[in-house]
Amino acid sequence: MEHPLYKQIQNDIRSRIQSGELPSGALVPSEKELAQQYGVSQITSKNALNGLVEEGLLVRYRGRGTFVRELLSSERGHPHQHQPQPSAKKTIAMILPTMKTRIDQQLLDGLERYCSERDYDLLIRITRESPEEEAFAIEHFRERGVDGYIIFPVEQESYNNAILRLTLDRVPLVLVDRFLKEIKTYSVSADNYGGVRTAVSDMLAAGHEHVALLSPEITNTVTDERAKGFEAAFMERGLPIDKTLWCLLDLDTLGKGLGQQEISRFLREKSEVTALFAVNAELARYAFYALRDIWPQAENRPLLAAFDDPDLEGVPYVRQHLDEMCRSAVELLAEQLEGKYDPRREVVPVAWVQTG
């Protein structure tokens, strides 16, 4: 019985990989090229490549193409098992999205210190908020044969397939500040929900019923939990949630440095706002200068509060215990490197810091 056309394409690509014609890391013909070569539609050739990506034979990088997945020596013959060598010194890959903020720097410092205490070698890659660079870094480190990963994922709606594959292959991995909702994995994050709920409850108790929320668009577990904490503070006091007072900035706007301009526009349109809660320090700084421009007299300005210390005088904030997050992340990674596997999420308490 003749195989479907997409199966023929897959079998041919498998044969070319097994023969060495397409070695590890080689660029595979594009959907368009395969469609022309086999006389099929691009939908058929796309389905063929997608199937091989799902099998783990190929990996895709947006804007670069589809490549033969580079397997570690420990994976050959056992593609779904990671077998660290217990006697060797461990090498850990740490992948961070940015180093723009003091929070980023404190996380790097803490993680490096706790890795050093365990005599781990540390390799670091900054992805600059690029999903493509994140995926490339993960595959690059897999080829180098690192023993484990600490990853602070980029800010996007879905997680990289490369992160999902690490989890499914049970490669030692700890996610920092994020977690996977549908798949059990190791992660460490602050109490985003409880921290925002406490802060906003305090603002409401002070008489600020028209509180604006400043947030990036809600695309990941961090922004989702902080938004839910904001809502909970209102619901617990029996107050309506007015989402016209939510200023959600898309990632493209923030990437272009237009955050302060958008917040200024929002505030000029919402004159009823008496307080603002910014879900991160970057937005708090944008809001601080926007408020100062609109209300030159300090006594007339709406109250501003933030998640994380924006290093601005008079701005109360939710403080993360970053050192504890770093310690916990390295301990969870060490557990996996020692051969244990009990994936779970560790939530580290936060503190509401009010200024005088």
Side-chain angles (χ1 to χ4, degrees):
M1 181 177 175
E2 190 174 353
H3 290 299
L5 290 173
Y6 80 93
K7 286 284 189 183
Q8 292 181 35
I9 298 172
Q10 290 179 337
N11 289 339
D12 286 352
I13 291 175
R14 285 194 197 94
S15 296
R16 293 174 69 185
I17 292 172
Q18 291 166 0
S19 69
E21 182 184 346
L22 286 174
S24 293
L27 178 66
V28 175
S30 67
E31 295 167 7
K32 183 177 181 180
E33 291 168 337
L34 288 172
Q36 292 174 345
Q37 179 182 343
Y38 287 88
V40 298
S41 70
Q42 281 193 222
I43 293 176
T44 299
S45 59
K46 180 177 182 178
N47 287 338
L49 292 180
N50 284 345
L52 294 175
V53 169
E54 290 174 4
E55 287 180 26
L57 285 177
L58 306 180
V59 61
R60 277 186 154 159
Y61 300 118
R62 190 182 304 168
R64 298 188 184 188
T66 305
F67 297 81
V68 178
R69 183 171 173 235
E70 300 182 12
L71 297 179
L72 306 180
S73 58
S74 63
E75 289 184 293
R76 296 187 178 101
H78 302 279
H80 298 296
Q81 295 181 7
H82 181 82
Q83 300 174 338
Q85 300 301 315
S87 60
K89 186 174 182 179
K90 306 301 183 187
T91 299
I92 307 304
M94 185 163 67
I95 302 174
L96 302 169
T98 176
M99 285 300 296
K100 293 189 299 185
T101 71
R102 189 167 60 178
I103 299 297
D104 300 325
Q105 295 158 12
Q106 289 173 325
L107 281 172
L108 175 59
D109 179 74
L111 290 168
E112 191 281 331
R113 178 160 36 85
Y114 285 111
C115 283
S116 179
E117 286 180 4
R118 290 184 175 269
D119 200 29
Y120 295 158
D121 284 332
L122 194 61
L123 301 174
I124 300 170
R125 179 67 61 88
I126 310 298
T127 62
R128 292 168 181 81
E129 291 287 5
S130 165
E132 293 79 19
E133 286 303 318
E134 183 178 75
F136 182 79
I138 290 170
E139 293 301 328
H140 171 73
F141 285 133
R142 289 199 80 163
E143 175 63 18
R144 290 193 60 169
V146 302
D147 297 285
Y149 294 78
I150 297 173
I151 301 178
F152 190 142
V154 300
E155 201 161 5
Q156 60 174 352
E157 190 166 353
S158 59
Y159 288 92
N160 246 314
N161 285 336
I163 292 178
L164 297 177
R165 188 161 298 283
L166 288 177
T167 301
L168 295 173
D169 290 351
R170 294 197 175 188
V171 176
L173 162 70
V174 178
L175 299 180
V176 177
D177 202 45
R178 313 280 168 80
F179 63 95
L180 301 177
K181 289 184 177 179
E182 297 84 10
I183 301 175
K184 290 193 71 176
T185 192
Y186 284 86
S187 68
V188 176
S189 56
D191 184 4
N192 298 300
Y193 174 89
V196 176
R197 183 183 64 181
T198 297
V200 176
S201 292
D202 190 73
M203 297 165 81
L204 294 173
H208 295 286
E209 293 190 6
H210 298 292
V211 184
L213 175 69
L214 305 180
S215 174
E217 55 186 326
I218 299 170
T219 59
N220 56 53
T221 55
V222 173
T223 48
D224 181 56
E225 286 192 320
R226 292 179 187 178
K228 286 178 177 175
F230 186 92
E231 291 178 324
F234 280 81
M235 289 188 289
E236 287 170 1
R237 298 183 70 86
L239 296 171
I241 298 167
D242 183 0
K243 290 197 174 181
T244 67
L245 300 184
W246 287 29
C247 180
L248 305 182
L249 290 86
D250 64 69
L251 301 182
D252 186 54
T253 295
L254 292 172
K256 292 177 179 177
L258 300 175
Q260 183 176 331
Q261 179 179 320
E262 283 300 302
I263 292 172
S264 292
R265 181 192 58 76
F266 169 82
L267 289 172
R268 292 182 190 280
E269 293 176 357
K270 305 295 181 182
S271 58
E272 69 270 32
V273 167
T274 62
L276 302 88
F277 186 86
V279 303
N280 61 41
E282 179 185 16
L283 292 186
R285 287 191 291 272
Y286 291 151
F288 179 84
Y289 293 111
L291 289 167
R292 194 173 63 174
D293 287 344
I294 298 171
W295 288 276
Q297 300 300 317
E299 60 270 17
N300 297 327
R301 291 176 202 153
L303 172 69
L304 172 65
F307 201 105
D308 289 330
D309 184 3
D311 197 23
L312 296 167
E313 185 177 354
V315 177
Y317 63 94
V318 176
R319 181 175 64 209
Q320 299 188 69
H321 294 293
L322 297 174
D323 188 75
E324 175 60 20
M325 290 175 63
C326 294
R327 184 196 64 77
S328 181
V330 176
E331 282 195 357
L332 290 177
L333 189 64
E335 176 180 303
Q336 297 169 75
L337 293 170
E338 291 164 5
K340 300 176 184 177
Y341 189 72
D342 180 24
R344 60 193 182 274
R345 181 188 179 199
E346 296 285 348
V347 178
V348 178
V350 297
W352 170 230
V353 179
Q354 300 184 66
T355 55

